[in-house]
Every structure is written in C-alpha cells, then in structure tokens.
Coordinates of all heavy atoms in Angstrom, one line a residue:
M78 N -84.3 -12.1 51.7 CA -83.7 -11.0 52.5 C -82.5 -11.6 53.4 O -81.6 -10.9 53.6 CB -84.7 -10.3 53.3 CG -84.3 -9.0 53.9 SD -84.1 -7.8 52.6 CE -83.3 -6.6 53.4
A79 N -82.7 -12.8 53.8 CA -81.6 -13.4 54.6 C -80.3 -13.5 53.8 O -79.2 -13.3 54.4 CB -82.0 -14.7 55.2
R80 N -80.5 -13.8 52.6 CA -79.3 -13.9 51.7 C -78.5 -12.5 51.6 O -77.3 -12.5 51.5 CB -79.6 -14.4 50.3 CG -80.0 -15.8 50.3 CD -80.2 -16.3 48.9 NE -80.6 -17.8 49.0 CZ -80.9 -18.4 47.9 NH1 -80.9 -17.9 46.7 NH2 -81.1 -19.7 48.0
M81 N -79.3 -11.4 51.6 CA -78.7 -10.1 51.6 C -77.8 -9.9 52.8 O -76.8 -9.2 52.7 CB -79.7 -9.0 51.4 CG -80.3 -9.0 50.0 SD -79.0 -9.0 48.7 CE -78.1 -7.6 49.0
F82 N -78.3 -10.4 54.0 CA -77.5 -10.2 55.2 C -76.2 -11.1 55.1 O -75.2 -10.7 55.6 CB -78.3 -10.6 56.4 CG -79.0 -9.4 57.0 CD1 -80.2 -8.9 56.4 CD2 -78.5 -8.7 58.1 CE1 -80.8 -7.8 56.9 CE2 -79.2 -7.6 58.6 CZ -80.3 -7.2 58.0
R83 N -76.3 -12.2 54.4 CA -75.1 -13.0 54.1 C -74.1 -12.3 53.2 O -72.9 -12.3 53.4 CB -75.4 -14.4 53.5 CG -76.1 -15.3 54.6 CD -76.3 -16.7 54.0 NE -77.3 -17.3 54.9 CZ -78.5 -17.8 54.5 NH1 -78.8 -17.7 53.2 NH2 -79.3 -18.3 55.4
V84 N -74.7 -11.6 52.2 CA -73.8 -10.7 51.3 C -73.2 -9.6 52.1 O -72.0 -9.3 51.9 CB -74.7 -10.2 50.2 CG1 -73.9 -9.2 49.3 CG2 -75.2 -11.3 49.3
L85 N -74.0 -9.0 53.0 CA -73.4 -7.9 53.9 C -72.2 -8.5 54.7 O -71.2 -7.9 54.9 CB -74.5 -7.3 54.7 CG -75.4 -6.4 54.1 CD1 -76.6 -6.0 55.0 CD2 -74.7 -5.1 53.6
A86 N -72.5 -9.7 55.3 CA -71.4 -10.3 56.1 C -70.2 -10.6 55.2 O -69.1 -10.4 55.7 CB -72.0 -11.6 56.7
Y87 N -70.4 -11.1 54.0 CA -69.2 -11.3 53.1 C -68.4 -10.1 52.9 O -67.2 -10.0 53.0 CB -69.7 -11.9 51.8 CG -68.7 -12.1 50.8 CD1 -67.7 -13.1 50.8 CD2 -68.6 -11.1 49.7 CE1 -66.7 -13.2 49.9 CE2 -67.6 -11.3 48.7 CZ -66.7 -12.3 48.8 OH -65.7 -12.4 47.9
F88 N -69.1 -9.0 52.5 CA -68.4 -7.7 52.2 C -67.8 -7.1 53.4 O -66.7 -6.5 53.3 CB -69.3 -6.7 51.5 CG -69.5 -7.1 50.0 CD1 -70.7 -7.5 49.5 CD2 -68.4 -7.1 49.1 CE1 -70.9 -7.8 48.2 CE2 -68.5 -7.4 47.8 CZ -69.8 -7.7 47.3
S89 N -68.4 -7.2 54.6 CA -67.8 -6.7 55.8 C -66.6 -7.5 56.2 O -65.6 -7.0 56.7 CB -68.8 -6.6 56.9 OG -69.3 -7.8 57.3
L90 N -66.6 -8.8 55.9 CA -65.5 -9.7 56.2 C -64.3 -9.2 55.3 O -63.2 -9.2 55.7 CB -65.8 -11.1 55.9 CG -64.6 -12.1 56.1 CD1 -64.1 -12.1 57.5 CD2 -65.0 -13.5 55.7
I91 N -64.6 -9.0 54.0 CA -63.5 -8.5 53.1 C -62.9 -7.2 53.6 O -61.7 -7.1 53.6 CB -64.1 -8.4 51.6 CG1 -64.5 -9.7 51.1 CG2 -63.0 -7.7 50.7 CD1 -63.5 -10.8 51.0
I92 N -63.7 -6.3 54.0 CA -63.2 -5.0 54.5 C -62.4 -5.2 55.8 O -61.4 -4.6 56.0 CB -64.4 -4.0 54.7 CG1 -65.0 -3.6 53.4 CG2 -63.9 -2.8 55.5 CD1 -66.3 -2.9 53.4
A93 N -62.9 -6.1 56.7 CA -62.2 -6.4 57.9 C -60.8 -7.0 57.6 O -59.8 -6.7 58.3 CB -63.0 -7.4 58.8
L94 N -60.7 -7.9 56.6 CA -59.5 -8.5 56.3 C -58.5 -7.5 55.7 O -57.3 -7.5 56.0 CB -59.7 -9.7 55.3 CG -60.3 -10.9 55.9 CD1 -60.6 -11.9 54.8 CD2 -59.5 -11.5 57.0
I95 N -59.0 -6.6 54.9 CA -58.2 -5.5 54.3 C -57.7 -4.6 55.5 O -56.5 -4.2 55.5 CB -59.0 -4.7 53.3 CG1 -59.2 -5.5 52.1 CG2 -58.2 -3.4 52.9 CD1 -60.2 -4.9 51.0
G96 N -58.6 -4.3 56.4 CA -58.1 -3.5 57.6 C -57.1 -4.2 58.4 O -56.1 -3.6 58.9
F97 N -57.3 -5.5 58.6 CA -56.3 -6.3 59.3 C -55.0 -6.3 58.6 O -53.9 -6.2 59.2 CB -56.9 -7.7 59.5 CG -56.0 -8.6 60.4 CD1 -55.9 -8.4 61.7 CD2 -55.3 -9.6 59.8 CE1 -55.1 -9.2 62.5 CE2 -54.5 -10.4 60.6 CZ -54.4 -10.2 61.9
W98 N -55.0 -6.5 57.3 CA -53.8 -6.5 56.5 C -53.1 -5.2 56.5 O -51.8 -5.2 56.5 CB -54.2 -6.9 55.1 CG -53.0 -7.0 54.1 CD1 -51.9 -7.7 54.2 CD2 -52.9 -6.2 52.9 NE1 -51.1 -7.5 53.1 CE2 -51.7 -6.6 52.3 CE3 -53.8 -5.3 52.2 CZ2 -51.3 -6.0 51.1 CZ3 -53.4 -4.8 51.0 CH2 -52.1 -5.1 50.5
M99 N -53.8 -4.1 56.6 CA -53.2 -2.8 56.6 C -52.9 -2.3 58.0 O -52.5 -1.1 58.2 CB -54.1 -1.8 55.9 CG -54.2 -2.1 54.4 SD -55.2 -0.9 53.6 CE -54.2 0.6 53.6
D100 N -53.0 -3.2 59.0 CA -52.7 -2.9 60.4 C -53.6 -1.8 61.0 O -53.1 -0.9 61.8 CB -51.2 -2.5 60.6 CG -50.7 -2.8 62.0 OD1 -51.3 -3.6 62.6 OD2 -49.8 -2.1 62.4
L101 N -54.9 -1.8 60.6 CA -55.9 -0.8 61.2 C -56.7 -1.7 62.1 O -57.9 -2.0 61.8 CB -56.7 -0.2 60.0 CG -55.9 0.6 59.0 CD1 -56.8 0.9 57.8 CD2 -55.3 1.8 59.6
M102 N -56.2 -2.0 63.3 CA -56.9 -2.9 64.2 C -58.3 -2.5 64.7 O -59.2 -3.3 64.7 CB -56.0 -3.2 65.4 CG -54.8 -4.1 65.0 SD -55.4 -5.6 64.2 CE -54.0 -5.9 63.2
P103 N -58.5 -1.2 65.1 CA -59.8 -0.8 65.5 C -60.9 -1.0 64.4 O -62.0 -1.5 64.6 CB -59.7 0.6 65.9 CG -58.3 0.8 66.2 CD -57.5 -0.1 65.3
M104 N -60.5 -0.6 63.2 CA -61.4 -0.7 62.1 C -61.7 -2.2 61.8 O -62.8 -2.6 61.5 CB -60.9 0.0 60.8 CG -61.8 -0.1 59.6 SD -61.1 0.5 58.1 CE -60.6 -1.0 57.4
A105 N -60.6 -3.0 61.8 CA -60.8 -4.4 61.5 C -61.7 -5.1 62.5 O -62.5 -5.9 62.2 CB -59.4 -5.1 61.4
L106 N -61.5 -4.8 63.8 CA -62.3 -5.4 64.8 C -63.8 -5.0 64.7 O -64.7 -5.8 64.9 CB -61.8 -5.0 66.2 CG -60.4 -5.6 66.6 CD1 -59.9 -5.1 67.9 CD2 -60.5 -7.1 66.6
I107 N -64.0 -3.7 64.4 CA -65.4 -3.3 64.1 C -66.1 -4.1 63.0 O -67.2 -4.6 63.1 CB -65.5 -1.8 63.9 CG1 -65.2 -1.0 65.2 CG2 -66.8 -1.4 63.3 CD1 -64.9 0.5 64.9
F108 N -65.3 -4.3 61.9 CA -65.9 -5.0 60.8 C -66.0 -6.5 61.0 O -66.9 -7.1 60.5 CB -65.1 -4.6 59.5 CG -65.6 -3.4 58.9 CD1 -65.0 -2.2 59.2 CD2 -66.7 -3.4 58.0 CE1 -65.4 -1.0 58.6 CE2 -67.1 -2.2 57.4 CZ -66.5 -1.0 57.7
F109 N -65.1 -7.0 61.8 CA -65.2 -8.4 62.2 C -66.5 -8.6 63.0 O -67.2 -9.6 62.9 CB -64.0 -9.0 63.0 CG -62.9 -9.3 62.1 CD1 -61.6 -8.9 62.4 CD2 -63.0 -10.2 61.0 CE1 -60.5 -9.2 61.6 CE2 -62.0 -10.5 60.2 CZ -60.7 -10.1 60.5
A110 N -66.8 -7.7 63.9 CA -68.0 -7.8 64.7 C -69.2 -7.6 63.9 O -70.2 -8.4 64.1 CB -68.0 -6.7 65.8
Q111 N -69.2 -6.7 62.9 CA -70.3 -6.6 62.0 C -70.5 -7.8 61.2 O -71.7 -8.2 60.9 CB -70.1 -5.4 61.1 CG -70.3 -4.1 61.7 CD -70.1 -2.9 60.7 OE1 -69.8 -3.1 59.5 NE2 -70.1 -1.7 61.2
T112 N -69.4 -8.5 60.8 CA -69.6 -9.7 60.0 C -70.3 -10.8 60.9 O -71.2 -11.5 60.4 CB -68.2 -10.2 59.6 OG1 -67.5 -9.2 58.8 CG2 -68.2 -11.5 58.9
A113 N -69.9 -10.9 62.1 CA -70.5 -11.9 63.0 C -72.0 -11.6 63.2 O -72.8 -12.5 63.2 CB -69.8 -11.9 64.3
V114 N -72.3 -10.3 63.4 CA -73.7 -10.0 63.6 C -74.6 -10.2 62.3 O -75.7 -10.8 62.4 CB -73.9 -8.5 64.0 CG1 -75.3 -8.0 64.0 CG2 -73.3 -8.3 65.4
F115 N -74.0 -9.8 61.2 CA -74.8 -10.1 59.9 C -74.9 -11.5 59.6 O -76.0 -12.0 59.2 CB -74.0 -9.4 58.7 CG -74.2 -7.9 58.7 CD1 -73.1 -7.1 58.2 CD2 -75.3 -7.2 59.2 CE1 -73.2 -5.7 58.2 CE2 -75.4 -5.9 59.1 CZ -74.3 -5.1 58.6
A116 N -73.9 -12.3 59.9 CA -74.0 -13.8 59.6 C -75.0 -14.4 60.6 O -75.8 -15.3 60.2 CB -72.6 -14.4 59.7
A117 N -75.0 -14.0 61.8 CA -75.9 -14.6 62.8 C -77.4 -14.2 62.5 O -78.3 -15.0 62.5 CB -75.6 -14.1 64.2
L118 N -77.6 -13.0 62.1 CA -78.9 -12.5 61.7 C -79.4 -13.2 60.5 O -80.6 -13.5 60.3 CB -79.0 -11.0 61.5 CG -78.9 -10.1 62.7 CD1 -78.8 -8.7 62.4 CD2 -80.2 -10.4 63.6
S119 N -78.5 -13.6 59.6 CA -79.0 -14.2 58.3 C -79.5 -15.6 58.5 O -80.3 -16.1 57.7 CB -77.8 -14.2 57.3 OG -76.9 -15.1 57.7
Y120 N -79.1 -16.2 59.6 CA -79.6 -17.6 59.8 C -80.7 -17.7 60.8 O -81.2 -18.8 61.2 CB -78.4 -18.5 60.3 CG -77.4 -18.8 59.2 CD1 -76.2 -18.1 59.2 CD2 -77.8 -19.7 58.2 CE1 -75.3 -18.4 58.1 CE2 -76.9 -19.9 57.2 CZ -75.7 -19.3 57.1 OH -74.8 -19.5 56.1
L121 N -81.3 -16.6 61.2 CA -82.4 -16.6 62.2 C -83.7 -16.9 61.5 O -84.7 -17.3 62.2 CB -82.5 -15.2 63.0 CG -81.4 -15.0 64.0 CD1 -81.6 -13.7 64.7 CD2 -81.4 -16.1 65.0
G122 N -83.9 -16.6 60.3 CA -85.1 -16.9 59.6 C -86.2 -15.9 59.9 O -87.4 -16.3 60.1
L123 N -85.9 -14.6 60.1 CA -86.9 -13.6 60.5 C -87.7 -13.2 59.3 O -87.4 -13.6 58.1 CB -86.2 -12.4 61.0 CG -85.2 -12.7 62.2 CD1 -84.5 -11.4 62.6 CD2 -86.1 -13.1 63.4
S124 N -88.8 -12.5 59.5 CA -89.6 -12.0 58.4 C -88.9 -10.9 57.7 O -88.0 -10.3 58.2 CB -91.0 -11.5 59.0 OG -90.8 -10.3 59.7
E125 N -89.4 -10.7 56.5 CA -88.7 -9.6 55.6 C -88.9 -8.3 56.3 O -88.0 -7.5 56.2 CB -89.3 -9.7 54.2 CG -88.6 -8.7 53.3 CD -88.6 -9.2 51.9 OE1 -88.9 -10.4 51.6 OE2 -88.2 -8.4 51.0
R126 N -90.0 -8.0 56.9 CA -90.2 -6.7 57.5 C -89.2 -6.5 58.7 O -88.6 -5.5 58.8 CB -91.6 -6.7 58.1 CG -91.9 -5.4 58.8 CD -93.4 -5.4 59.4 NE -93.6 -4.3 60.3 CZ -94.0 -3.1 60.0 NH1 -94.3 -2.8 58.8 NH2 -94.2 -2.3 61.0
T127 N -88.9 -7.6 59.4 CA -88.0 -7.5 60.5 C -86.6 -7.3 60.0 O -85.8 -6.5 60.6 CB -88.0 -8.8 61.4 OG1 -89.4 -9.0 61.8 CG2 -87.1 -8.7 62.6
Y128 N -86.2 -7.9 58.9 CA -84.9 -7.7 58.3 C -84.8 -6.3 57.8 O -83.7 -5.6 58.0 CB -84.7 -8.7 57.1 CG -84.2 -10.0 57.6 CD1 -84.9 -11.2 57.2 CD2 -83.1 -10.2 58.3 CE1 -84.5 -12.4 57.5 CE2 -82.6 -11.5 58.7 CZ -83.3 -12.6 58.3 OH -82.9 -13.8 58.6
L129 N -85.8 -5.7 57.2 CA -85.8 -4.3 56.8 C -85.7 -3.4 58.0 O -84.9 -2.4 57.9 CB -87.0 -4.0 55.9 CG -86.9 -4.6 54.5 CD1 -88.3 -4.4 53.8 CD2 -85.8 -4.1 53.7
L130 N -86.4 -3.6 59.0 CA -86.3 -2.8 60.2 C -84.9 -2.8 60.8 O -84.3 -1.8 61.2 CB -87.3 -3.1 61.2 CG -88.8 -2.8 60.9 CD1 -89.8 -3.4 61.9 CD2 -88.9 -1.3 60.8
L131 N -84.3 -4.0 60.9 CA -83.0 -4.1 61.4 C -82.0 -3.4 60.6 O -81.1 -2.7 61.1 CB -82.6 -5.6 61.5 CG -83.2 -6.4 62.7 CD1 -82.9 -7.9 62.5 CD2 -82.7 -5.9 64.0
F132 N -82.1 -3.5 59.2 CA -81.2 -2.9 58.4 C -81.3 -1.3 58.4 O -80.3 -0.6 58.5 CB -81.3 -3.3 56.9 CG -80.4 -2.7 56.0 CD1 -79.0 -3.1 56.0 CD2 -80.8 -1.7 55.1 CE1 -78.1 -2.5 55.1 CE2 -79.9 -1.2 54.2 CZ -78.6 -1.5 54.2
N133 N -82.5 -0.9 58.5 CA -82.8 0.6 58.6 C -82.2 1.1 59.9 O -81.6 2.2 60.0 CB -84.2 0.9 58.5 CG -84.8 0.7 57.1 OD1 -84.0 0.8 56.1 ND2 -86.0 0.5 57.0
G134 N -82.4 0.4 61.0 CA -81.8 0.8 62.3 C -80.3 0.8 62.2 O -79.6 1.7 62.8
Y135 N -79.7 -0.2 61.6 CA -78.2 -0.3 61.4 C -77.7 1.0 60.6 O -76.7 1.6 61.0 CB -77.8 -1.5 60.7 CG -76.4 -1.6 60.2 CD1 -75.4 -1.7 61.0 CD2 -76.2 -1.4 58.8 CE1 -74.1 -1.7 60.6 CE2 -74.9 -1.4 58.3 CZ -73.8 -1.5 59.2 OH -72.6 -1.5 58.8
M136 N -78.5 1.3 59.6 CA -78.0 2.5 58.7 C -78.1 3.8 59.5 O -77.2 4.6 59.4 CB -78.9 2.6 57.5 CG -78.6 1.4 56.5 SD -76.9 1.2 56.1 CE -76.6 2.6 55.1
V137 N -79.2 3.9 60.4 CA -79.3 5.1 61.2 C -78.1 5.2 62.1 O -77.5 6.3 62.3 CB -80.6 5.2 61.9 CG1 -80.6 6.2 63.0 CG2 -81.8 5.4 60.9
V138 N -77.8 4.1 62.8 CA -76.7 4.1 63.8 C -75.4 4.4 63.1 O -74.5 5.2 63.5 CB -76.6 2.8 64.6 CG1 -75.4 2.7 65.4 CG2 -77.8 2.7 65.5
A139 N -75.2 3.8 61.9 CA -73.9 4.0 61.1 C -73.8 5.4 60.7 O -72.7 6.0 60.8 CB -73.9 3.0 59.9
F140 N -74.8 6.0 60.2 CA -74.7 7.4 59.7 C -74.5 8.4 60.9 O -73.8 9.3 60.7 CB -76.0 7.8 58.9 CG -76.0 7.2 57.5 CD1 -77.2 6.8 57.0 CD2 -74.9 6.9 56.8 CE1 -77.3 6.2 55.7 CE2 -74.9 6.4 55.6 CZ -76.1 6.0 55.0
V141 N -75.2 8.2 62.0 CA -75.0 9.1 63.1 C -73.6 8.9 63.7 O -72.9 9.9 64.0 CB -76.0 8.7 64.2 CG1 -75.7 9.4 65.6 CG2 -77.4 9.2 63.8
A142 N -73.1 7.7 63.7 CA -71.7 7.5 64.2 C -70.7 8.2 63.2 O -69.7 8.8 63.6 CB -71.4 6.0 64.3
F143 N -70.9 8.0 61.9 CA -70.1 8.6 60.9 C -70.1 10.2 61.0 O -69.0 10.8 61.0 CB -70.5 8.2 59.5 CG -69.7 8.8 58.4 CD1 -68.4 8.4 58.1 CD2 -70.3 9.8 57.6 CE1 -67.7 8.9 57.1 CE2 -69.5 10.4 56.6 CZ -68.2 9.9 56.3
L144 N -71.3 10.7 61.2 CA -71.3 12.2 61.3 C -70.7 12.7 62.6 O -70.0 13.7 62.6 CB -72.8 12.7 61.3 CG -73.5 12.5 59.9 CD1 -74.9 12.9 60.0 CD2 -72.8 13.4 58.9
Y145 N -70.8 11.9 63.7 CA -70.1 12.3 64.9 C -68.6 12.3 64.7 O -67.9 13.2 65.1 CB -70.5 11.3 66.0 CG -69.6 11.5 67.3 CD1 -69.9 12.5 68.2 CD2 -68.5 10.7 67.5 CE1 -69.1 12.7 69.3 CE2 -67.7 10.9 68.6 CZ -68.0 11.9 69.5 OH -67.2 12.1 70.6
V146 N -68.1 11.3 64.1 CA -66.6 11.2 63.8 C -66.2 12.3 63.0 O -65.2 13.0 63.2 CB -66.2 9.8 63.2 CG1 -64.8 9.8 62.7 CG2 -66.4 8.7 64.3
I147 N -66.9 12.6 61.9 CA -66.5 13.7 61.0 C -66.5 15.0 61.6 O -65.6 15.8 61.5 CB -67.5 13.7 59.7 CG1 -67.2 12.4 58.9 CG2 -67.3 14.9 58.9 CD1 -65.9 12.3 58.3
F148 N -67.5 15.3 62.4 CA -67.6 16.7 63.0 C -67.0 16.9 64.3 O -66.6 18.0 64.7 CB -69.1 17.1 63.1 CG -69.7 17.4 61.8 CD1 -70.7 16.6 61.2 CD2 -69.3 18.5 61.0 CE1 -71.3 16.8 60.0 CE2 -69.9 18.8 59.8 CZ -70.8 17.9 59.3
F149 N -66.8 15.8 65.1 CA -66.3 16.0 66.5 C -65.1 15.3 66.8 O -64.3 15.7 67.7 CB -67.4 15.6 67.5 CG -68.7 16.4 67.4 CD1 -69.8 15.8 67.0 CD2 -68.7 17.8 67.7 CE1 -71.0 16.5 66.8 CE2 -69.9 18.5 67.5 CZ -71.0 17.9 67.1
A150 N -64.8 14.2 66.2 CA -63.6 13.4 66.6 C -62.4 13.7 65.7 O -61.3 13.5 66.2 CB -64.0 11.9 66.5
L151 N -62.6 14.1 64.5 CA -61.4 14.3 63.6 C -60.9 15.7 63.8 O -61.7 16.7 63.9 CB -61.8 14.2 62.1 CG -62.0 12.8 61.6 CD1 -62.4 12.8 60.2 CD2 -60.8 11.9 61.8
P152 N -59.6 15.9 63.9 CA -59.0 17.2 64.2 C -59.1 18.0 62.9 O -59.0 17.5 61.8 CB -57.6 17.0 64.6 CG -57.3 15.7 64.0 CD -58.6 14.9 64.0
L153 N -59.2 19.4 63.0 CA -59.1 20.2 61.9 C -57.6 20.4 61.5 O -56.8 20.8 62.3 CB -59.6 21.6 62.2 CG -61.1 21.8 62.3 CD1 -61.5 23.2 62.7 CD2 -61.8 21.4 61.0
T154 N -57.3 20.1 60.3 CA -55.9 20.2 59.8 C -55.9 20.9 58.5 O -57.0 20.9 57.8 CB -55.2 18.9 59.7 OG1 -55.9 18.0 58.8 CG2 -55.1 18.2 61.0
G155 N -54.8 21.4 58.1 CA -54.7 22.0 56.8 C -53.8 23.2 56.9 O -53.3 23.5 58.0
P156 N -53.6 23.9 55.9 CA -52.8 25.1 55.9 C -53.3 26.2 56.9 O -54.4 26.7 56.7 CB -52.8 25.6 54.5 CG -53.3 24.5 53.6 CD -54.2 23.7 54.5
G157 N -52.6 26.4 57.9 CA -53.0 27.5 58.9 C -54.1 27.1 59.9 O -54.6 27.9 60.6
L158 N -54.5 25.8 59.9 CA -55.6 25.4 60.8 C -55.1 24.7 62.0 O -55.9 24.3 62.8 CB -56.6 24.6 60.1 CG -57.4 25.3 59.0 CD1 -58.3 24.3 58.3 CD2 -58.2 26.4 59.6
G159 N -53.8 24.5 62.2 CA -53.3 23.7 63.3 C -52.0 23.1 63.0 O -51.4 23.3 61.9
S160 N -51.5 22.4 64.0 CA -50.1 21.9 63.7 C -50.1 20.4 63.9 O -50.9 19.7 64.2 CB -49.1 22.5 64.6 OG -49.5 22.6 65.9

C-alpha cells in the first residue's frame, strides 16, 4: 500500500508540473503540496488499514471541496445567464 502512495505522489507531481507549465499557479501549488504529503506518507511504514483510512479521508475531503467549488465558487455563465 505504501507503493500506491508513491504512485499517487508521482501522478500528482506530473499534474503539478503540467499546471506549472500552463501558468496555473494555485492548482500547481495544491498538487505540489499533495505530492509532498503522499511521498511523506509512503515512507512512514504504516499499516494497510491506516493507509486505507488516510486515503478514504483524502477522498472525502477532495469530493467535498470539488462539490463546493462546482456549486458555490464557479459563476453561472452561458447564454442569458450573466455577463
């Protein structure tokens, strides 16, 4: 399970570098932070149950944040919905 956190760190690093390359600094910084957390967690040597609980907690926070952004932070745009 620790190797899966290294895989998550690798893919979040790739996404962070793409965001950095495309000049999306807030997104890049978020993914750089996630990379650091995933890499640090992967070397702690925790039990598999702990890794699963951490990942499930991460997914809950990520989905709640995503839903918040979709419903409350993004403006309504489109034909006749604003300017």
Side-chain angles (χ1 to χ4, degrees):
M78 195 67 193
R80 287 185 180 176
M81 285 312 299
F82 271 77
R83 288 186 199 120
V84 170
L85 286 171
Y87 171 75
F88 282 114
S89 64
L90 177 64
I91 297 300
I92 293 170
L94 290 173
I95 291 171
F97 184 72
W98 178 56
M99 295 182 68
D100 204 27
L101 301 169
M102 286 305 148
M104 184 189 98
L106 291 176
I107 288 170
F108 277 92
F109 279 131
Q111 286 181 2
T112 300
V114 169
F115 287 147
L118 285 173
S119 71
Y120 288 105
L121 285 180
L123 303 172
S124 69
E125 186 146 346
R126 178 181 167 92
T127 306
Y128 279 123
L129 287 174
L130 287 172
L131 286 170
F132 182 71
N133 288 338
Y135 167 75
M136 293 307 292
V137 167
V138 169
F140 287 146
V141 167
F143 179 73
L144 289 173
Y145 172 78
V146 168
I147 292 298
F148 287 112
F149 300 113
L151 288 179
L153 286 175
T154 59
L158 292 176
S160 49

